[in-house]
Amino acid sequence: MAVLKILKGNIIYTATKEKFEIHEDSYLIESDGLVKGIFKEIPKEYKNVEVEDFGDSLIIPGFVDMHFHAPQFQNLGLGLDEELMPWLNKYTFPEEAKYGDEEYAKRLYTNVAKALWRNGTTRVVLFSTIHKNGTDVLMDVIDKSGIGAYIGKINMDRNSPDFYIEDTDESLKVTEEWILDTKDKYKLIKPIITPSFVPACTEKLMKGLSDLSKKYNVKIQSHLSENEGEIEWVKDLHPEYNSYASVYDGMGLLNDNTVMAHTVHSTDEEIKLLAERGTVSAHCPNGNYNLSSGIMPVRRFLESGVKVALGSDVGAGHQVGIYKVMSQAIEASKMNRVYVNREEKPLTTSEVFYLGTKAGGEFFGKVGSFEKGYEFDALVINDDNLGDKDFRCVEERLQRFIYIGDDRNIVRRYIAGKEVGEPK
């Protein structure tokens, strides 16, 4: 029996969003990259296995980021006086156009990998750029870091700058070549179909991408209902559809292999459609606030049966750590209750922790929990510098880390059973 490691500490995770599962001073056993179980005492058959004893530290699942623009990391904290469309034209497109330069891409994408590692992101869904070669560089860099990821080459063939746009047929041809080159190349890195958003993609391109997704069983990511001006633009472009979400649905891009970022202004009919299709909504409160997009009513989505997870939305979002997104998601839900709908209860700490671990992890398989058979993604949190621990329960200590901790509190990182060091 190939038992690789045993960790000892205060183990906390969310099997469901309603409550934390807590095992104080217990042993978390990993075998062949999977969780074997949690035990108060080490079973006899494992008595000779070395224990990594982390004392009073917290042991939690790794964080899952469902929406991150890798080339926008360079723009972190810039241009946030703008709304979405001016911000894209002034900051995003000029920066993303640079990533056909492989040396530039490798240097900047290495910084992305280091930031993800520091902040305990063990799985991530990344946008690249329109460049196949730059996207190949990103996949190689993230693979070497040990982090698991879906990575997408962006597609866009209309309403884009002359210096950052594709020919429709060439876009589909290159995307198919890229999928064939990468779908079986890595263990933890997989390609994901990535139409930028409806205004930047023709009907021919979107339907062609849907065909590629079905042909090769590749997942899909894009943006939906982030900004009111964007929604009006989609109405003008596609008056034949009754909503933004129905455009994606009509193109064959909305299903249970799809993650849509933002969904801030989705109608009740769109929320119902997302639930029916099994599509994941990536909630990105930092980006939504920074670009004045609005407040996503997460409670309404959850109660309607929509799968919701969390995204940093770097670079509209200014924080890489999903634990920071968790606290922002709680704050956003409180403002939604105060200013939008008194009937929608704010999110709880256990709910946002679930959204940032197991809910996103399900997109990757059995990831984001310490239930038996789940992939062994774990973080060790030393919270000695965050205040007294003698009078605080494990749940309170985790909550305190989410609100006031930082990457320095994360002292160990494990992904699929392997301890992962800082990327070079």
Side-chain angles (χ1 to χ4, degrees):
M1 189 176 295
V3 175
L4 299 182
K5 59 182 61 65
I6 300 177
L7 310 187
K8 184 183 181 185
N10 295 308
I11 300 160
I12 179 169
Y13 64 100
T14 45
T16 67
K17 65 180 183 296
E18 285 76 22
K19 67 184 181 72
F20 285 104
E21 304 291 335
I22 299 171
H23 301 263
E24 296 185 53
D25 194 27
S26 296
Y27 300 90
L28 177 63
I29 299 182
E30 174 266 348
S31 177
D32 293 325
L34 304 178
V35 175
K36 187 70 175 177
I38 300 170
F39 304 88
K40 193 65 179 175
E41 302 290 339
I42 300 175
K44 285 190 298 183
E45 61 265 37
Y46 305 132
K47 287 293 185 183
N48 295 325
V49 178
E50 183 179 352
V51 175
E52 296 180 86
D53 190 343
F54 294 104
D56 198 36
S57 293
L58 308 177
I59 302 174
I60 66 174
F63 298 127
V64 181
D65 188 339
M66 293 295 288
H67 186 63
F68 187 121
H69 291 265
Q72 293 179 25
F73 180 76
Q74 178 74 348
N75 283 351
L76 214 61
L78 296 178
L80 300 180
D81 291 335
E82 306 284 355
E83 288 196 18
L84 176 64
M85 299 314 300
W87 179 78
L88 288 173
N89 288 309
K90 187 174 180 180
Y91 289 94
T92 301
F93 296 146
E95 177 60 26
E96 292 194 0
K98 300 174 184 178
Y99 285 78
D101 179 336
E102 293 178 27
E103 288 188 13
Y104 185 82
K106 184 174 183 179
R107 178 166 62 86
L108 273 300
Y109 286 152
T110 298
N111 291 341
V112 170
K114 290 180 177 180
L116 290 168
W117 176 87
R118 279 198 307 273
N119 284 279
T121 300
T122 56
R123 310 280 173 145
V124 61
V125 183
L126 293 168
F127 274 60
S128 178
T129 63
I130 65 173
H131 311 99
K132 178 182 181 297
N133 63 335
T135 305
D136 289 340
V137 169
L138 178 59
M139 296 179 97
D140 284 338
V141 167
I142 300 299
D143 177 63
K144 287 182 176 65
S145 77
I147 295 167
Y150 286 102
I151 295 176
K153 188 203 89 64
I154 288 178
N155 301 91
M156 44 199 292
D157 66 340
R158 68 172 175 178
N159 296 322
S160 304
D162 291 342
F163 59 84
Y164 193 58
I165 194 169
E166 300 175 294
D167 170 78
T168 306
D169 292 330
E170 182 68 11
S171 179
L172 291 170
K173 175 177 176 290
V174 170
T175 299
E176 183 165 22
E177 291 171 352
W178 166 70
I179 291 170
L180 289 169
D181 288 346
T182 60
K183 66 184 182 69
D184 301 315
K185 185 176 180 181
Y186 309 97
K187 182 180 179 182
L188 296 181
I189 309 296
K190 298 297 178 185
I192 184 168
I193 295 288
T194 307
S196 177
F197 67 150
V198 166
C201 300
T202 62
E203 182 172 339
K204 180 179 179 180
L205 180 59
M206 287 189 278
K207 288 184 174 178
L209 292 173
S210 173
D211 291 342
L212 290 176
S213 173
K214 293 169 187 171
K215 183 176 180 179
Y216 298 110
N217 191 29
V218 177
K219 293 180 184 283
I220 300 164
Q221 65 175 341
S222 195
H223 300 89
L224 174 61
S225 300
E226 178 176 0
N227 176 275
E228 290 177 330
E230 166 205 9
I231 294 168
E232 291 303 313
W233 193 9
V234 171
K235 286 181 182 178
D236 291 341
L237 291 168
H238 292 282
E240 70 275 21
Y241 289 96
N242 61 17
S243 71
Y244 197 160
S246 66
V247 178
Y248 284 119
D249 194 44
M251 303 299 169
L253 293 168
L254 212 60
N255 55 54
D256 60 2
N257 276 324
T258 303
V259 55
M260 286 286 170
H262 300 293
T263 62
V264 176
H265 301 286
S266 296
T267 64
D268 289 342
E269 290 75 15
E270 287 180 296
I271 293 172
K272 182 181 178 183
L273 179 60
L274 292 172
E276 289 173 350
R277 296 292 181 264
T279 298
V280 179
S281 171
H283 177 37
C284 307
N286 284 345
N288 296 343
Y289 277 8
N290 285 338
L291 297 181
S292 301
S293 294
I295 304 171
M296 178 190 168
V298 178
R299 178 68 63 196
R300 194 184 317 163
F301 279 73
L302 293 174
E303 292 180 349
S304 299
V306 179
K307 294 183 285 189
V308 180
L310 298 181
S312 64
D313 193 29
V314 167
H318 61 284
Q319 294 170 310
V320 174
I322 287 297
Y323 52 99
K324 296 300 184 186
V325 178
M326 290 176 184
S327 63
Q328 189 75 72
I330 292 173
E331 292 167 10
S333 71
K334 290 176 178 177
M335 292 304 97
N336 179 70
R337 189 183 196 190
V338 171
Y339 292 110
V340 182
N341 188 338
R342 285 277 181 181
E343 301 302 313
E344 293 178 5
K345 294 180 181 178
L347 298 174
T348 66
T349 306
S350 69
E351 285 177 321
V352 296
F353 191 82
Y354 179 87
L355 298 186
T357 54
K358 187 177 177 180
E362 288 178 342
F363 199 69
F364 292 81
K366 295 182 77 171
V367 170
S369 178
F370 290 148
E371 296 160 76
K372 185 176 180 179
Y374 271 67
E375 293 194 55
F376 192 90
D377 289 12
L379 306 174
V380 178
I381 310 297
N382 183 324
D383 60 338
D384 286 345
N385 68 323
L386 300 182
D388 72 81
K389 298 191 293 186
D390 295 340
F391 307 101
R392 301 299 168 197
C393 67
V394 169
E395 182 175 337
E396 288 174 324
R397 289 169 56 193
L398 177 59
Q399 183 180 58
R400 186 162 57 183
F401 164 71
I402 288 170
Y403 277 93
I404 67 170
D406 61 37
D407 58 90
R408 293 169 295 183
N409 297 108
I410 305 173
V411 295
R412 292 287 182 89
R413 301 147 179 88
Y414 302 87
I415 302 173
K418 295 181 179 178
E419 185 179 352
V420 177
E422 184 171 8
K424 304 293 185 184

